[in-house]
Amino acid sequence: MADVPKNQGLNLTRYMYRMTFSKKGRAKFISHLDLMRAMQRTFKRAGLPIWYTQGFNPHPYIMFPLALSLGVESEIEPMDVALLEKLENEEIKSRLNMVMPEGIRIETVGEPVCDHLDIYRSDYEIIIKTDRPPEETLKFFSEFVSADEIIIKKRLKPKKNRRETHREIDVREYVKLLGIEASNEGVKINIRLATSAGNDFNLNYTPLLDAFSEKYNIDINYISAKRTKILCRNGENFI
Amino acid sequence: MELKEKIEQLLLNVQKPARYIGGEVGSVVKDKNKVDVRFAFCFPDTYDVGMSHLGMKILYGLKNNVENYWCERVFAPEKDFENVMQENNIPLYGLESLDPIKDFDFIGFTLQYELSYTNVLNMLDLAGLPVLAKDRTDDMPVVVAGGPCACNPEPLADFIDLFILGEGEEVNLELMSLYEKMKPARDKRPEKYEFLRQAAKIKGIYVPAFYDVSYNDDGTIKAVTPNIPEAPEKITKRIIKDFDKVYYPDSFVVPFTSIVHDRAVVEVLRGCIRGCRFCQAGFIYRPFREKEVDTISRQTKYLCEQTGYEEVSLSSLSTSDYREIEMLLENLVDYTDKENISLSLPSLRIDNFSEKLLEKIQRIRKSGLTFAPEAGTQRLRDVINKNVSEEEIMETCKLAFLGGYSQVKLYFMLGLPTETMEDIEGIAELGKKIIDLYYSIDKSKRNGNNIQISISTATFVPKPFTPFEFEPQATREEISAKQKHLLESLSSRKIKLSYHNQDVSVLEAVLARGDRRVGQVVLRAWEKGCVLDSWDEYFDFPKWQEAFDECGIDPEFYANRFRSYDEILPWDHLDYLVSKSFFVRENKKAHEAMTTRNCKEGCSGCGIPKDCGGVYCG
Ligand code: SF4
């Protein structure tokens, strides 16, 4: 039966790899779900056979511990893959990069070290343009994220037949401004936000910017964002 | 803000934005300063539909294979993005460069179905161009169109500068090369009239503006006459004679989002030997030509390696007619098995297969079993020359049930010429016989205890270049009476019945056999907001009806009228190589319920010249 992958059954040996890849330019519009398929095909093109999960509904073992929002770039998205072969890290990297879609590049290949649940924070570089002069935006934004309270609206799952509702929460402890500068290109913000691969609090920058825009009555008309770092609870990079 | 940056910002708020930004593996990006001819290949439907289309993949690869030509893909945006584009003045752009297509040299549409015509107008408008050819000036692209519907291009004659008839692999390059030669400089366009005049000399190129159409008092066509010496009386479609050697892409653009047919596709043969009298594809793609087993195997391997697809499918009008089918499948299965790729064979009739092969196919893929008997009785199947008998259907079903299938899909048409209520009852009876057959098989040998039959009925739409091009379409009243009768004749709950939308079929009938006057209706309907007509949720027949009324055009004249054999049909000045006398002969035979043998059994002299590469011609 062809419905079952044929490299199954006896292949109990697998080699686990943790890779990081960057996702930039047009590739930032590839959704999480589509990325899975795109990666599978990339491995196929590279001639790197992926290990399939065993069991009733086998699927190729590729996993992304973190989701990256559509439209956001990244320098360091983690991806875990199980391969049927043991190969040099550099060889895997170069074979994949030769056949990657535009904008995606494997940056590192290695063995998994940390646990997914160790993931604690991400750093983002965000550029915004608003209807105010950049210096003014800078001043207000710095004020906004340095206050004792940072109130954002968190969307709650709408109950059946109800309108969408929001809850106000204070995200003070989940936000840390790392740097901010203004130029003609807009305001560049470096910021650290709570991130989790499990059930811990996960803070996206969008509600934060929405709250800022509302509080100061500032219209944001351009946003671009890039994830630059993923940190573990102990402060080290996630590897 | 640069266009690209603007698009990126706006894409944050639309559904499935990856469809609007390009960058897929296999998409071709060139340096525009080193390119002489830029071609915007437009599929007049959304990305999901258009990206599944094989013809586009072939011509995309073909043009980009020439170093100084650059072909880009363009699709119709979905409504959400179209609104965003209009609000923000984003002109329609090519997915590879993100440059506006109004700056390209050519804009080319592929016409796959009649209901995409308003999308053609809409895309021209989104590009920022006048929809009428006569309003487009020398500083605008040449707008061309090809594809199966170009065999009666008259309803679009006012909008398109030139039509490409027949197979595009050679003529597209000839056209681009002529343009390249006539360009005064890299960044200058040739004078449009002069270009069209020269293009009209190329075989297979039809420039509608070079022909005048006059009408009789009864509304039929009096004459179609060339108005410049360069325009030939008859324009003949193009054919690839050496089909085995024709260009085939060794890579496809691999989309990120899921599309309708998301897999590698290899074309195994072109044309059809069968001559079903309702089927336009069966005639306009004649003659029957094949690729060699080695060619197909090689192309399969290249494509799979280049794309990383986990599925490959063989494309043709009827794969079982491939002469070396067993050898081909053996060859392919060896490869796909090893590479863990699944092979699918959509248009495969399994009636004449050996046990051994059947076993192989089962290993390949167990999708549902589909049949298209098209008509419920043998008499009516003879009328339409659908050479499939009830015994054959039963025999195949039996094999299939023993092989583990328990779902059967049957396709029929309602409103075929000479159809009676008896033929309608035949549909229900056939369904019942298949159910009985299933239960007559020992429980241990069949799969489960539950058979499901779905019967899908479409209203027959008479098409140009078929023996039924003269026939009226059944009226709405006739069709609803037949639908009702069919429903009453069905006795089993194991049979599910579905119909096509009647308004859609009427509109298809009008557009398929329309003349130039129908173009006004298309324009008016589009102005009223008709677009994406092939989508149930957008199709708005009342608006079309208003458009017909306002233009003073009676749809019945086009849909429901019987044309005499000597009437000049709107497409009679186009030559698709199958002769009109053959269609007349076939039409007469149809009315006597006489069948015509297929090309393999013996040539019936349809008019295709011997030197076209046809396997059975001559
Ligand atoms: S010329 Fe004869 S063999 Fe060739 S396509 Fe026509 S009928 Fe078939």
Side-chain angles (χ1 to χ4, degrees):
Chain A
M1 292 263 290
D3 303 14
V4 180
K6 284 152 210 128
N7 59 4
Q8 280 324 286
L10 302 168
N11 282 314
L12 297 173
T13 336
R14 57 179 148 149
Y15 303 93
M16 291 298 301
Y17 292 90
R18 174 158 298 155
M19 311 185 185
T20 58
F21 62 91
S22 52
K23 189 169 179 260
K24 293 180 188 169
R26 319 197 207 199
K28 69 178 176 219
F29 292 105
I30 306 170
S31 74
H32 197 61
L33 199 75
D34 293 340
L35 187 63
M36 180 63 90
R37 201 173 28 227
M39 281 295 181
Q40 279 176 31
R41 289 172 182 163
T42 304
F43 278 84
K44 189 123 194 145
R45 286 193 295 271
L48 296 173
I50 304 176
W51 178 82
Y52 275 65
T53 59
Q54 313 289 301
F56 194 66
N57 185 16
H59 58 269
Y61 191 98
I62 298 185
M63 107 167 252
F64 306 105
L66 289 181
L68 184 68
S69 307
L70 206 65
V72 180
E73 296 187 315
S74 176
E75 279 168 0
I76 34 81
E77 284 313 286
M79 164 171 77
D80 288 356
V81 186
L83 295 183
L84 288 173
E85 281 169 38
K86 178 92 191 137
L87 290 164
E88 289 297 319
N89 293 341
E90 275 310 302
E91 183 182 348
I92 294 178
K93 181 175 157 183
S94 68
R95 272 164 72 175
L96 286 170
N97 280 340
M98 264 163 57
V99 292
M100 265 301 168
E102 178 187 327
I104 302 181
R105 282 195 70 76
I106 299 289
E107 301 293 345
T108 62
V109 178
E111 274 177 40
V113 177
C114 310
D115 192 276
H116 295 161
L117 294 178
D118 292 340
I119 295 175
Y120 185 60
R121 292 288 185 265
S122 305
D123 291 355
Y124 293 91
E125 185 186 290
I126 302 169
I127 297 168
I128 58 172
K129 294 177 194 168
T130 68
D131 57 351
R132 308 285 180 85
E135 291 71 25
E136 205 179 314
T137 309
L138 181 147
K139 183 176 141 250
F140 287 130
F141 190 82
S142 308
E143 191 181 299
F144 173 67
V145 288
S146 320
D148 293 341
E149 261 188 351
I150 306 174
I151 305 294
I152 65 158
K153 281 186 178 157
K154 191 158 172 81
R155 212 172 60 120
L156 296 175
K157 261 200 191 139
K159 290 211 185 80
K160 240 192 188 163
N161 305 328
R162 292 279 181 77
R163 276 204 295 147
E164 199 176 272
T165 51
H166 295 271
R167 185 164 52 105
E168 299 207 327
I169 45 171
D170 178 11
V171 293
R172 175 63 276 173
E173 57 173 313
Y174 305 115
V175 179
K176 185 176 173 198
L177 185 66
L178 302 171
I180 183 163
E181 36 181 284
S183 72
N184 289 340
E185 300 296 299
V187 178
K188 192 202 257 176
I189 302 161
N190 280 296
I191 200 162
R192 182 165 295 170
L193 303 174
T195 304
S196 161
N199 293 323
D200 287 347
F201 193 73
N202 200 16
L203 180 60
N204 199 328
Y205 65 83
T206 321
L208 195 69
L209 291 180
D210 288 346
F212 166 65
S213 160
E214 191 170 320
K215 182 164 176 191
Y216 291 86
N217 198 13
I218 289 177
D219 255 1
I220 303 177
N221 40 41
Y222 173 92
I223 306 175
S224 79
K226 179 161 74 185
R227 177 141 63 192
T228 54
K229 241 184 199 178
I230 297 175
L231 298 167
C232 294
R233 209 166 295 272
N234 62 11
E236 299 286 324
N237 282 329
F238 175 79
I239 48 169
Chain B
M1 245 189 272
E2 213 195 316
L3 183 59
K4 177 171 182 243
E5 208 173 295
K6 221 165 143 186
I7 294 167
E8 290 199 1
Q9 281 300 303
L10 297 168
L11 283 182
L12 296 172
N13 301 314
V14 303
Q15 291 293 312
K16 298 205 263 172
R19 299 176 293 176
Y20 304 120
I21 192 79
E24 305 94 327
V25 163
S27 62
V28 180
V29 176
K30 297 192 180 188
D31 176 355
K32 63 178 157 197
N33 299 314
K34 295 189 179 139
V35 161
D36 291 309
V37 187
R38 295 186 71 179
F39 195 109
F41 196 123
C42 299
F43 194 100
D45 208 316
T46 58
Y47 183 93
D48 313 41
V49 179
M51 277 293 288
S52 303
H53 179 246
L54 179 59
M56 181 175 202
K57 297 176 203 273
I58 296 176
L59 295 177
Y60 179 81
L62 175 92
K63 291 167 186 167
N64 282 323
N65 224 13
V66 182
E67 213 182 318
N68 60 337
Y69 298 171
W70 189 8
C71 176
E72 304 192 29
R73 295 159 300 140
V74 187
F75 302 94
E78 278 207 55
K79 288 264 161 103
D80 65 336
F81 190 46
E82 181 182 332
N83 293 340
V84 167
M85 285 172 77
Q86 268 163 345
E87 281 158 22
N88 296 279
N89 292 319
I90 305 283
L92 196 61
Y93 55 88
L95 284 182
E96 280 70 8
S97 64
L98 308 181
D99 289 336
I101 61 169
K102 66 166 185 299
D103 300 334
F104 284 40
D105 298 301
F106 285 96
I107 292 181
F109 289 96
T110 177
L111 306 172
Q112 297 292 317
Y113 26 86
E114 293 82 6
L115 290 195
S116 67
Y117 290 177
T118 52
N119 299 347
V120 171
L121 272 58
N122 202 47
M123 287 172 80
L124 287 171
D125 183 57
L126 284 172
L129 296 169
V131 296
L132 289 167
K134 67 175 171 53
D135 297 340
R136 289 192 298 265
T137 48
D138 278 353
D139 58 349
M140 296 175 187
V142 178
V143 177
V144 309
C149 292
C151 77
N152 177 24
E154 294 302 278
L156 291 182
D158 292 344
F159 313 107
I160 304 289
D161 296 319
L162 69 83
F163 292 94
I164 299 170
L165 310 187
E167 293 165 349
E169 283 101 337
E170 292 164 350
V171 61
N172 267 281
L173 295 182
E174 292 165 21
L175 197 63
M176 289 170 84
S177 143
L178 172 70
Y179 188 92
E180 184 189 350
K181 284 197 202 100
M182 290 182 69
K183 267 182 120 161
R186 178 166 269 168
D187 56 351
K188 290 218 169 59
R189 300 171 191 272
E191 201 207 318
K192 190 175 288 179
Y193 178 82
E194 196 44 33
F195 172 71
L196 292 176
R197 208 166 63 89
Q198 296 303 326
K201 294 189 205 162
I202 299 177
K203 190 177 169 196
I205 299 296
Y206 169 48
V207 182
F210 293 157
Y211 296 79
D212 296 325
V213 182
S214 57
Y215 300 93
N216 295 313
D217 291 343
D218 64 0
T220 57
I221 291 171
K222 189 169 178 189
V224 178
T225 7
N227 56 30
I228 64 161
E230 287 80 2
E233 297 264 325
K234 275 221 167 202
I235 308 96
T236 309
K237 77 150 176 178
R238 292 295 292 263
I239 279 188
I240 301 297
K241 292 183 179 171
D242 192 350
F243 180 60
D244 186 58
K245 298 282 173 325
V246 71
Y247 171 84
Y248 199 76
D250 53 18
S251 87
F252 282 178
V253 178
V254 183
F256 294 117
T257 56
S258 60
I259 56 168
V260 182
H261 299 299
D262 201 1
R263 56 197 179 201
V265 181
V266 177
E267 197 184 12
V268 298
L269 60 86
R270 228 175 248 184
C272 183
I273 60 171
R274 298 194 173 261
C276 302
R277 290 178 180 135
F278 56 85
C279 176
Q280 188 181 52
F283 295 102
I284 62 171
Y285 296 122
R286 282 190 177 205
F288 178 87
R289 288 149 295 158
E290 297 175 328
K291 280 184 193 166
E292 286 173 21
V293 172
D294 283 350
T295 309
I296 298 166
S297 305
R298 192 180 64 239
Q299 292 176 345
T300 304
K301 188 161 169 282
Y302 279 169
L303 260 187
C304 289
E305 281 171 5
Q306 290 301 311
T307 57
Y309 269 126
E310 44 294 284
E311 183 182 351
V312 62
S313 125
L314 299 185
S315 154
S316 78
L317 290 171
S318 167
T319 304
S320 6
D321 290 330
Y322 185 72
R323 285 178 297 173
E324 310 254 36
I325 184 74
E326 305 224 2
M327 211 222 282
L328 176 67
L329 292 182
E330 241 154 74
N331 249 316
L332 290 181
V333 170
D334 281 350
Y335 170 73
T336 53
D337 264 9
K338 191 173 90 224
E339 293 296 321
N340 202 10
I341 292 167
S342 61
L343 178 65
S344 62
L345 305 161
S347 41
L348 190 76
R349 299 153 52 116
I350 50 181
D351 38 312
N352 44 9
F353 275 14
S354 69
E355 295 269 326
K356 197 170 122 230
L357 191 57
L358 204 66
E359 197 179 298
K360 229 170 219 162
I361 298 170
Q362 277 162 8
R363 268 201 297 143
I364 297 166
R365 186 142 239 226
K366 198 166 287 185
S367 49
L369 187 62
T370 47
F371 287 108
E374 309 292 1
T377 60
Q378 194 57 50
R379 184 200 68 83
L380 193 54
R381 283 196 292 274
D382 289 347
V383 168
I384 62 176
N385 203 39
K386 180 86 193 186
N387 287 327
V388 50
S389 69
E390 194 173 304
E391 293 93 79
E392 278 165 354
I393 295 173
M394 290 301 159
E395 202 42 49
T396 313
C397 281
K398 192 168 166 191
L399 276 176
F401 291 152
L402 289 171
Y405 289 88
S406 60
Q407 278 181 15
V408 183
K409 263 194 199 154
L410 299 169
Y411 290 94
F412 293 95
M413 279 185 291
L414 296 184
L416 286 164
T418 80
E419 184 180 66
T420 66
M421 286 304 183
E422 211 175 291
D423 299 308
I424 301 296
E425 289 150 23
I427 297 176
E429 276 158 33
L430 189 64
K432 181 152 185 314
K433 280 183 194 158
I434 295 175
I435 296 177
D436 292 345
L437 174 77
Y438 176 81
Y439 285 108
S440 75
I441 293 173
D442 194 276
K443 238 187 188 160
S444 61
K445 288 191 182 141
R446 64 175 197 237
N447 183 8
N449 197 23
N450 199 6
I451 178 162
Q452 280 228 331
I453 296 195
S454 47
I455 291 183
S456 153
T457 63
T459 302
F460 170 58
V461 178
K463 295 275 174 111
F465 294 106
T466 68
F468 290 159
E469 63 180 9
F470 313 100
E471 299 287 335
Q473 184 181 46
T475 62
R476 276 165 209 279
E477 295 72 37
E478 286 164 340
I479 293 295
S480 1
K482 283 173 176 171
Q483 286 174 341
K484 190 161 162 272
H485 191 64
L486 177 56
L487 201 59
E488 287 163 0
S489 312
L490 291 175
S491 50
S492 168
R493 268 185 297 139
K494 302 203 176 300
I495 302 181
K496 273 211 318 262
L497 179 65
S498 62
Y499 316 114
H500 274 201
N501 180 328
Q502 188 58 11
D503 293 327
V504 168
S505 310
V506 171
L507 186 58
E508 280 173 345
V510 175
L511 295 176
R513 292 189 295 171
D515 53 32
R516 291 195 180 182
R517 293 167 297 188
V518 170
Q520 304 161 35
V521 183
V522 176
L523 178 59
R524 188 63 67 92
W526 168 71
E527 285 167 348
K528 289 176 172 294
C530 288
V531 70
L532 295 175
D533 295 304
S534 60
W535 295 53
D536 285 347
E537 61 262 53
Y538 299 128
F539 183 63
D540 189 345
F541 193 71
K543 276 198 193 133
W544 275 98
Q545 190 60 60
E546 283 171 33
F548 278 111
D549 294 344
E550 289 167 23
C551 298
I553 286 194
D554 177 12
E556 288 182 12
F557 177 81
Y558 296 96
N560 307 114
R561 185 171 60 88
F562 188 86
R563 290 129 171 101
S564 72
Y565 293 146
D566 52 18
E567 177 175 333
I568 295 175
L569 302 173
W571 52 92
D572 274 355
H573 55 299
L574 310 185
D575 183 1
Y576 271 65
L577 297 178
V578 179
S579 66
K580 191 165 184 184
S581 60
F582 176 76
F583 290 139
V584 170
R585 212 154 73 220
E586 282 290 292
N587 184 277
K588 288 181 180 155
K589 280 173 91 177
H591 284 275
E592 289 160 31
M594 277 167 62
T595 59
T596 296
R597 60 190 177 183
N598 68 41
C599 300
K600 188 176 164 186
E601 292 160 340
C603 172
S604 304
C606 73
I608 297 275
K610 285 188 184 58
D611 67 350
C612 291
V615 168
Y616 300 108
C617 305

